[in-house]
Each structure stands twice: as C-alpha cells, then as structure tokens.
Amino acid sequence: MNEPTPLTPSPSAPAREPITCHVLDLTSGRPASSVFVSLTLLRPFGPSAPLTAVTSPDGRINRWSGEAGSSLSEIFANLAEHDDGEMVWSLKFDTGTYFGESKTFFPEVEVKFYVNAKDGHYHDPRAAAFV
C-alpha cells in the first residue's frame, strides 16, 4: 500500500489546504467533475463533523467547507502543537451519484489514511472506475 507523500509548497505558491485530492474517471479517461466528497477527522478527537467539497471541472478539490468552526488548516495547526500530531482521516467519494445509482457496484468509496500535522501537505489522487 502506498503512503501519501508529504509535499512542501514553494514560497511563491498560494496557501492551500493541508489535504487535497483529485478524481480521474477511468471509464472516460477524463477528470471526474462534480463528485461529492467528504473529509472527516476520525482520530484524535473524532469523528468530526465532515468537511465537504465537489470536484472542479478538472476533477480537483483544493478547498473544503464545513460547519462554523475550525478550518482544515486550523485543525492541522492546532494538532501540530500537541502530542505527535498524528491523525486518521476519512475521504468519502459519492460514486453512486456520479455514475448513477444503478450503474455502479459501489455507491460510496471510503479511503482512510494516516497523516501527521507536522508534515505539511497530503494529496490523494483517486482513479474512479467503480462501475
């Protein structure tokens, strides 16, 4: 199983969320736009209220939104100051809505992963062909 590789943004790059992702539709060979995705902190202090986003026309999610409260960047900053900063997150992809409920075997795909708040940025590239 491949571990996500922490990336270090260049000093001139605009600030971005600590966790980003993009989805490729392998049935069409194109980016998967308009896929609903949720991001939930499972540990520590979780499960949290999910952050949500919809993939852009190029299949990417660079910003998350959620209920009033801490942003993803604030969660990372706060946890980096405590203990070892290790977290477990869940990304859920709504493949049922994207492909059509009767056209996919998997109505939802969940990926759980470890990150460390002190490591910077994680990017999850997901290839979707769950039909």
Side-chain angles (χ1 to χ4, degrees):
M1 181 175 189
N2 293 335
E3 300 270 335
T5 304
L7 302 174
T8 305
S10 69
S12 62
R16 64 177 165 191
E17 299 278 23
I19 298 173
T20 58
C21 70
H22 76 272
V23 182
L24 301 175
D25 181 341
L26 296 180
T27 62
S28 68
R30 305 203 36 86
S33 65
S34 301
V35 176
F36 295 95
V37 183
S38 66
L39 176 65
T40 305
L41 175 64
L42 300 177
R43 287 193 308 246
F45 317 122
S48 67
L51 300 167
T52 58
V54 178
T55 56
S56 65
D58 67 354
R60 295 181 183 276
I61 292 177
N62 294 315
R63 294 278 176 238
W64 300 94
S65 61
E67 297 177 3
S70 296
S71 70
L72 184 57
S73 295
E74 290 171 330
I75 292 168
F76 265 67
N78 290 337
L79 285 173
E81 297 174 6
H82 297 85
D83 301 322
D84 58 9
E86 290 190 8
M87 298 175 274
V88 177
W89 289 88
S90 165
L91 274 171
K92 289 185 184 177
F93 300 87
D94 183 358
T95 51
T97 300
Y98 176 75
F99 287 112
E101 290 294 334
S102 63
K103 296 178 180 157
T104 182
F105 187 72
F106 299 101
E108 180 178 83
V109 174
E110 180 177 21
V111 178
K112 295 179 182 177
F113 55 98
Y114 292 98
V115 300
N116 190 305
K118 298 173 184 177
D119 287 341
H121 176 251
Y122 291 85
H123 181 76
D124 178 59
R126 191 65 31 208
F130 302 108
V131 292

